[in-house]
Structure formats: C-alpha cells, structure tokens
Amino acid sequence: MAQALQTVLKRKLTLEEAMAIAENMDTDKDGFVTVEELVKWVDANKLVKLVEEGRDGEVDRMIAKHATKMKEKHAAAEEAAEMEGLIEGEMPSQEKSAPPPSSGIQ
C-alpha cells in the first residue's frame, strides 16, 4: 500500500504517513482498502489533485496532518484501554472466597 501511495502522490512517505492515508481510504473501517475504496479516494481526494497541480507544500502539510491525527487517535485509544484495565483491576471480584478450612482444633 505504501508503495502505491508513494507512486500516486509522487513522494516518499513514512510508514505512519502511509498508514494514516490508508486509514482515511478505508471508509467501512474493516482494516482493508478495497479497489473500490481506493478509486473513490483517488477521485475525491484533494491530495491527488494538489499533486497533479504541483502544490507540493500543501500536499506535505496535509499528509503530516493525517499522520498527526492518526497518532493522536491511537494514543487516545491506548490511554482509554489502560484506564479500562485499571478500573477493571480495582473492581471487587463478584466471587466470594470460601472461608479458610478449619484445622479441627478449637
């Protein structure tokens, strides 16, 4: 995917940049970019038009913006998962523990 994007956008992309753009293409959010999603993205996306017009500075800023948004989104999801784990760890168990066995000595 990264190589195809580099060809279409006529520039080298970091993995994060390529992933951010691919995430934007994946309209049904199933984790896969179909040919249909790619075609729709190319037809509708401003990045491709800017590349065709030679407006490289704008393209670079937009790519960086997509990558930053993706980083923030993933960081927030990780933080939420960590918080959920902490909250679940603090919740009392619903199982009652059995009393310790008696030794028979009173």
Side-chain angles (χ1 to χ4, degrees):
M1 176 56 78
Q3 190 170 6
L5 287 171
Q6 288 181 40
T7 301
V8 169
L9 298 175
K10 300 176 183 174
R11 64 190 11 82
K12 292 281 185 192
L13 299 171
T14 66
L15 180 59
E16 288 176 339
E17 291 168 338
M19 294 298 292
I21 293 169
E23 188 174 290
N24 184 259
M25 287 180 187
D26 185 16
T27 55
D28 62 5
K29 305 300 178 203
D30 65 353
F32 300 97
V33 177
T34 64
V35 173
E36 181 180 334
E37 288 171 323
L38 175 62
V39 169
K40 284 181 181 179
W41 183 85
V42 168
D43 286 343
N45 199 281
K46 187 176 180 180
L47 280 176
V48 176
K49 292 174 182 133
L50 292 174
V51 168
E52 290 171 352
E53 294 170 4
R55 296 164 66 180
D56 293 336
E58 289 179 67
V59 172
D60 292 338
R61 283 190 296 278
M62 289 179 75
I63 289 171
K65 184 178 175 181
H66 280 298
T68 300
K69 281 184 181 180
M70 187 183 84
K71 281 183 195 176
E72 290 170 354
K73 180 180 171 183
H74 288 283
E78 286 177 14
E79 186 177 321
E82 287 176 14
M83 291 300 294
E84 186 175 314
L86 288 174
I87 291 170
E88 287 177 2
E90 294 173 359
M91 292 176 60
S93 174
Q94 293 185 6
E95 295 178 10
K96 298 214 176 213
S97 58
S102 102
S103 63
I105 304 174
Q106 295 190 5

